[in-house]
Amino acid sequence: LIEQRMVKGFFIAVDKTFGWNSRLWYKTTEGLVAPADRMYIVKAPASKGIDVPDGVKQVGFITAAKAAKYTWDPEKKKISVSGSVPRFAAFGLTGQTISKETIVYRQTSEGWWMKAIDGTWAEAGEAPSEVKPGEKWIDVNLTRKTLMAMAGDKPAYAALISPGRRNKNKKKDHPTIQGTFRIREKHIAVTMDG
């Protein structure tokens, strides 16, 4: 009996795998079953969030396939490559920036500089008026595709996000809903579809 038809772009959360009738099946976290030979496992993302280092208000993320660390010599007003940085590296930022020939660089809390176009950065905006002092809250920036989890006014965790995808075709238009919301429920795993 077909409960639901899955199409391209449909994801399921797998609870267990079992064999039946000479075929391999997935049991979902919702108790449904799906044939394993009609699906493929999505590779886990290489991107990881970061516990925000003490004293840091901003976090940088490298999103470019190839990126470099830079050293700034203020006396010579020269910037030079001092190493490489892997994609999805995350690190604290001091908030200081320099511009050299229209290119912006952000200083890391480790002392080197990142080229702004090699990545993005997270920084929480103002807390919503509903947030009580010391209360936990999350700021999501759809433009920079980042999330900053806060404990009161102290940044605790930052991560890259994948916001909803915009499309001129109404059936494929799935923008992230904007606004201020209370967290209603949390899931370890859930079956999702656009």
Side-chain angles (χ1 to χ4, degrees), residues 45-57:
S47 171
K48 302 277 188 246
I50 179 176
D51 290 328
V52 179
D54 287 336
V56 169
K57 297 279 185 193

Side-chain angles (χ1 to χ4, degrees), residues 45-52 59-65 86-91 93 114 116 118-123 138-149 157-164 176:
S47 171
K48 302 277 188 246
I50 179 176
D51 290 328
V52 179
V59 171
F61 296 95
I62 297 296
T63 57
R87 187 169 192 207
F88 300 126
F91 38 81
L93 296 173
M114 77 172 272
D118 285 346
T120 189
W121 56 283
E123 178 180 44
I138 299 171
D139 185 75
V140 175
N141 188 307
L142 297 177
T143 304
R144 293 193 303 256
K145 299 180 181 179
T146 60
L147 168 151
M148 182 77 81
Y157 184 79
L160 293 171
I161 61 142
S162 295
T176 297

Side-chain angles (χ1 to χ4, degrees), residues 15 33 47 51 56 60 65 73 96 103 128 139 145 152 156 158 160 163 166 172 176-177 183 188-189:
D15 181 37
V33 295
S47 171
D51 290 328
V56 169
D73 184 341
Q96 290 189 346
I103 298 173
D139 185 75
K145 299 180 181 179
L160 293 171
R166 298 293 324 219
K172 295 181 180 181
T176 297
I177 298 170
I183 295 174
I188 293 171

Side-chain angles (χ1 to χ4, degrees), residues 173-194:
D173 189 33
H174 305 291
T176 297
I177 298 170
Q178 298 182 43
T180 303
F181 310 97
R182 284 275 173 193
I183 295 174
R184 189 177 64 220
E185 56 194 35
K186 298 177 186 178
H187 300 275
I188 293 171
V190 66
T191 296
M192 296 173 62
D193 111 36

